[in-house]
PDB file of all heavy atoms in Angstrom:
ATOM      1  N   LYS L  18      20.294  -3.029   3.682  1.00 43.00           N
ATOM      2  CA  LYS L  18      20.529  -4.454   3.452  1.00 43.00           C
ATOM      3  C   LYS L  18      21.661  -4.951   4.334  1.00 43.00           C
ATOM      4  O   LYS L  18      21.548  -5.980   4.993  1.00 43.00           O
ATOM      5  CB  LYS L  18      20.852  -4.682   1.974  1.00 43.00           C
ATOM      6  CG  LYS L  18      21.059  -6.127   1.590  1.00 43.00           C
ATOM      7  CD  LYS L  18      21.283  -6.226   0.087  1.00 43.00           C
ATOM      8  CE  LYS L  18      21.519  -7.655  -0.329  1.00 43.00           C
ATOM      9  NZ  LYS L  18      21.703  -7.775  -1.772  1.00 43.00           N
ATOM     10  N   LYS L  19      22.760  -4.190   4.382  1.00 46.00           N
ATOM     11  CA  LYS L  19      23.902  -4.579   5.213  1.00 46.00           C
ATOM     12  C   LYS L  19      23.503  -4.650   6.682  1.00 46.00           C
ATOM     13  O   LYS L  19      23.797  -5.615   7.377  1.00 46.00           O
ATOM     14  CB  LYS L  19      25.043  -3.574   5.022  1.00 46.00           C
ATOM     15  CG  LYS L  19      26.276  -3.887   5.844  1.00 46.00           C
ATOM     16  CD  LYS L  19      27.354  -2.851   5.618  1.00 46.00           C
ATOM     17  CE  LYS L  19      28.537  -3.140   6.518  1.00 46.00           C
ATOM     18  NZ  LYS L  19      29.434  -2.016   6.616  1.00 46.00           N
ATOM     19  N   GLU L  20      22.784  -3.627   7.153  1.00 42.00           N
ATOM     20  CA  GLU L  20      22.359  -3.597   8.552  1.00 42.00           C
ATOM     21  C   GLU L  20      21.419  -4.754   8.868  1.00 42.00           C
ATOM     22  O   GLU L  20      21.548  -5.415   9.897  1.00 42.00           O
ATOM     23  CB  GLU L  20      21.662  -2.268   8.854  1.00 42.00           C
ATOM     24  CG  GLU L  20      21.154  -2.180  10.277  1.00 42.00           C
ATOM     25  CD  GLU L  20      20.388  -0.894  10.522  1.00 42.00           C
ATOM     26  OE1 GLU L  20      20.660   0.106   9.855  1.00 42.00           O
ATOM     27  OE2 GLU L  20      19.509  -0.919  11.396  1.00 42.00           O
ATOM     28  N   ALA L  21      20.464  -5.021   7.983  1.00 41.00           N
ATOM     29  CA  ALA L  21      19.500  -6.090   8.214  1.00 41.00           C
ATOM     30  C   ALA L  21      20.192  -7.443   8.292  1.00 41.00           C
ATOM     31  O   ALA L  21      19.879  -8.260   9.152  1.00 41.00           O
ATOM     32  CB  ALA L  21      18.450  -6.100   7.107  1.00 41.00           C
ATOM     33  N   ILE L  22      21.146  -7.672   7.426  1.00 42.00           N
ATOM     34  CA  ILE L  22      21.852  -8.955   7.415  1.00 42.00           C
ATOM     35  C   ILE L  22      22.733  -9.099   8.654  1.00 42.00           C
ATOM     36  O   ILE L  22      22.786 -10.150   9.275  1.00 42.00           O
ATOM     37  CB  ILE L  22      22.666  -9.118   6.115  1.00 42.00           C
ATOM     38  CG1 ILE L  22      21.698  -9.298   4.942  1.00 42.00           C
ATOM     39  CG2 ILE L  22      23.631 -10.290   6.200  1.00 42.00           C
ATOM     40  CD1 ILE L  22      22.340  -9.194   3.584  1.00 42.00           C
ATOM     41  N   GLU L  23      23.410  -8.011   9.052  1.00 45.00           N
ATOM     42  CA  GLU L  23      24.277  -8.070  10.229  1.00 45.00           C
ATOM     43  C   GLU L  23      23.479  -8.261  11.516  1.00 45.00           C
ATOM     44  O   GLU L  23      23.876  -9.005  12.400  1.00 45.00           O
ATOM     45  CB  GLU L  23      25.115  -6.798  10.324  1.00 45.00           C
ATOM     46  CG  GLU L  23      26.215  -6.733   9.291  1.00 45.00           C
ATOM     47  CD  GLU L  23      26.944  -5.386   9.294  1.00 45.00           C
ATOM     48  OE1 GLU L  23      26.533  -4.461  10.022  1.00 45.00           O
ATOM     49  OE2 GLU L  23      27.927  -5.273   8.546  1.00 45.00           O
ATOM     50  N   ASN L  24      22.347  -7.582  11.645  1.00 40.00           N
ATOM     51  CA  ASN L  24      21.596  -7.592  12.893  1.00 40.00           C
ATOM     52  C   ASN L  24      20.570  -8.709  12.997  1.00 40.00           C
ATOM     53  O   ASN L  24      20.190  -9.096  14.093  1.00 40.00           O
ATOM     54  CB  ASN L  24      20.891  -6.244  13.093  1.00 40.00           C
ATOM     55  CG  ASN L  24      21.898  -5.128  13.287  1.00 40.00           C
ATOM     56  OD1 ASN L  24      23.007  -5.360  13.741  1.00 40.00           O
ATOM     57  ND2 ASN L  24      21.505  -3.926  12.940  1.00 40.00           N
ATOM     58  N   LYS L  25      20.095  -9.215  11.879  1.00 42.00           N
ATOM     59  CA  LYS L  25      19.070 -10.250  11.897  1.00 42.00           C
ATOM     60  C   LYS L  25      19.344 -11.268  10.791  1.00 42.00           C
ATOM     61  O   LYS L  25      18.554 -11.410   9.864  1.00 42.00           O
ATOM     62  CB  LYS L  25      17.687  -9.633  11.705  1.00 42.00           C
ATOM     63  CG  LYS L  25      17.306  -8.666  12.805  1.00 42.00           C
ATOM     64  CD  LYS L  25      15.954  -8.070  12.545  1.00 42.00           C
ATOM     65  CE  LYS L  25      15.646  -7.041  13.615  1.00 42.00           C
ATOM     66  NZ  LYS L  25      14.437  -6.308  13.334  1.00 42.00           N
ATOM     67  N   PRO L  26      20.455 -11.983  10.886  1.00 40.00           N
ATOM     68  CA  PRO L  26      20.813 -12.889   9.790  1.00 40.00           C
ATOM     69  C   PRO L  26      19.819 -14.028   9.576  1.00 40.00           C
ATOM     70  O   PRO L  26      19.772 -14.612   8.505  1.00 40.00           O
ATOM     71  CB  PRO L  26      22.182 -13.427  10.212  1.00 40.00           C
ATOM     72  CG  PRO L  26      22.214 -13.271  11.686  1.00 40.00           C
ATOM     73  CD  PRO L  26      21.393 -12.035  11.985  1.00 40.00           C
ATOM     74  N   ASP L  27      18.989 -14.335  10.587  1.00 41.00           N
ATOM     75  CA  ASP L  27      18.043 -15.433  10.444  1.00 41.00           C
ATOM     76  C   ASP L  27      16.669 -14.964   9.962  1.00 41.00           C
ATOM     77  O   ASP L  27      15.780 -15.754   9.726  1.00 41.00           O
ATOM     78  CB  ASP L  27      17.878 -16.158  11.779  1.00 41.00           C
ATOM     79  CG  ASP L  27      17.402 -15.228  12.884  1.00 41.00           C
ATOM     80  OD1 ASP L  27      17.670 -14.013  12.808  1.00 41.00           O
ATOM     81  OD2 ASP L  27      16.750 -15.726  13.822  1.00 41.00           O
ATOM     82  N   GLN L  28      16.481 -13.669   9.791  1.00 43.00           N
ATOM     83  CA  GLN L  28      15.206 -13.118   9.354  1.00 43.00           C
ATOM     84  C   GLN L  28      15.124 -13.125   7.833  1.00 43.00           C
ATOM     85  O   GLN L  28      16.099 -13.329   7.137  1.00 43.00           O
ATOM     86  CB  GLN L  28      15.030 -11.686   9.875  1.00 43.00           C
ATOM     87  CG  GLN L  28      15.013 -11.594  11.383  1.00 43.00           C
ATOM     88  CD  GLN L  28      13.830 -12.310  11.994  1.00 43.00           C
ATOM     89  OE1 GLN L  28      12.709 -12.145  11.535  1.00 43.00           O
ATOM     90  NE2 GLN L  28      14.072 -13.123  12.992  1.00 43.00           N
ATOM     91  N   ASN L  29      13.944 -12.843   7.324  1.00 44.00           N
ATOM     92  CA  ASN L  29      13.727 -12.792   5.873  1.00 44.00           C
ATOM     93  C   ASN L  29      14.220 -11.443   5.355  1.00 44.00           C
ATOM     94  O   ASN L  29      13.449 -10.596   4.947  1.00 44.00           O
ATOM     95  CB  ASN L  29      12.247 -13.000   5.549  1.00 44.00           C
ATOM     96  CG  ASN L  29      12.029 -13.139   4.067  1.00 44.00           C
ATOM     97  OD1 ASN L  29      12.895 -13.649   3.367  1.00 44.00           O
ATOM     98  ND2 ASN L  29      10.908 -12.691   3.579  1.00 44.00           N
ATOM     99  N   THR L  30      15.522 -11.248   5.421  1.00 48.00           N
ATOM    100  CA  THR L  30      16.103  -9.993   4.969  1.00 48.00           C
ATOM    101  C   THR L  30      16.124  -9.937   3.458  1.00 48.00           C
ATOM    102  O   THR L  30      15.776 -10.894   2.789  1.00 48.00           O
ATOM    103  CB  THR L  30      17.531  -9.820   5.524  1.00 48.00           C
ATOM    104  OG1 THR L  30      18.292 -10.959   5.162  1.00 48.00           O
ATOM    105  CG2 THR L  30      17.518  -9.664   7.029  1.00 48.00           C
ATOM    106  N   VAL L  31      16.529  -8.817   2.938  1.00 56.00           N
ATOM    107  CA  VAL L  31      16.519  -8.565   1.500  1.00 56.00           C
ATOM    108  C   VAL L  31      17.097  -9.747   0.738  1.00 56.00           C
ATOM    109  O   VAL L  31      18.212 -10.170   0.999  1.00 56.00           O
ATOM    110  CB  VAL L  31      17.307  -7.283   1.181  1.00 56.00           C
ATOM    111  CG1 VAL L  31      17.302  -7.021  -0.310  1.00 56.00           C
ATOM    112  CG2 VAL L  31      16.738  -6.107   1.948  1.00 56.00           C
ATOM    113  N   THR L  32      16.311 -10.284  -0.164  1.00 63.00           N
ATOM    114  CA  THR L  32      16.752 -11.422  -0.976  1.00 63.00           C
ATOM    115  C   THR L  32      16.416 -11.145  -2.425  1.00 63.00           C
ATOM    116  O   THR L  32      15.591 -10.307  -2.740  1.00 63.00           O
ATOM    117  CB  THR L  32      16.040 -12.724  -0.552  1.00 63.00           C
ATOM    118  OG1 THR L  32      14.640 -12.541  -0.692  1.00 63.00           O
ATOM    119  CG2 THR L  32      16.368 -13.117   0.873  1.00 63.00           C
ATOM    120  N   GLY L  33      17.046 -11.869  -3.287  1.00 70.00           N
ATOM    121  CA  GLY L  33      16.701 -11.817  -4.695  1.00 70.00           C
ATOM    122  C   GLY L  33      17.377 -10.702  -5.443  1.00 70.00           C
ATOM    123  O   GLY L  33      17.314  -9.555  -5.050  1.00 70.00           O
ATOM    124  N   ASP L  34      18.030 -11.065  -6.511  1.00 85.00           N
ATOM    125  CA  ASP L  34      18.688 -10.097  -7.372  1.00 85.00           C
ATOM    126  C   ASP L  34      18.001 -10.172  -8.722  1.00 85.00           C
ATOM    127  O   ASP L  34      18.177 -11.129  -9.461  1.00 85.00           O
ATOM    128  CB  ASP L  34      20.179 -10.431  -7.480  1.00 85.00           C
ATOM    129  CG  ASP L  34      20.957  -9.367  -8.225  1.00 85.00           C
ATOM    130  OD1 ASP L  34      20.413  -8.258  -8.431  1.00 85.00           O
ATOM    131  OD2 ASP L  34      22.104  -9.645  -8.608  1.00 85.00           O
TER     132      ASP L  34
END
Side-chain angles (χ1 to χ4, degrees):
K18 183 176 179 179
K19 180 181 176 195
E20 178 184 332
I22 291 168
E23 287 174 354
N24 294 334
K25 298 179 184 173
D27 58 333
Q28 298 296 313
N29 188 32
T30 55
V31 180
T32 59
D34 187 14

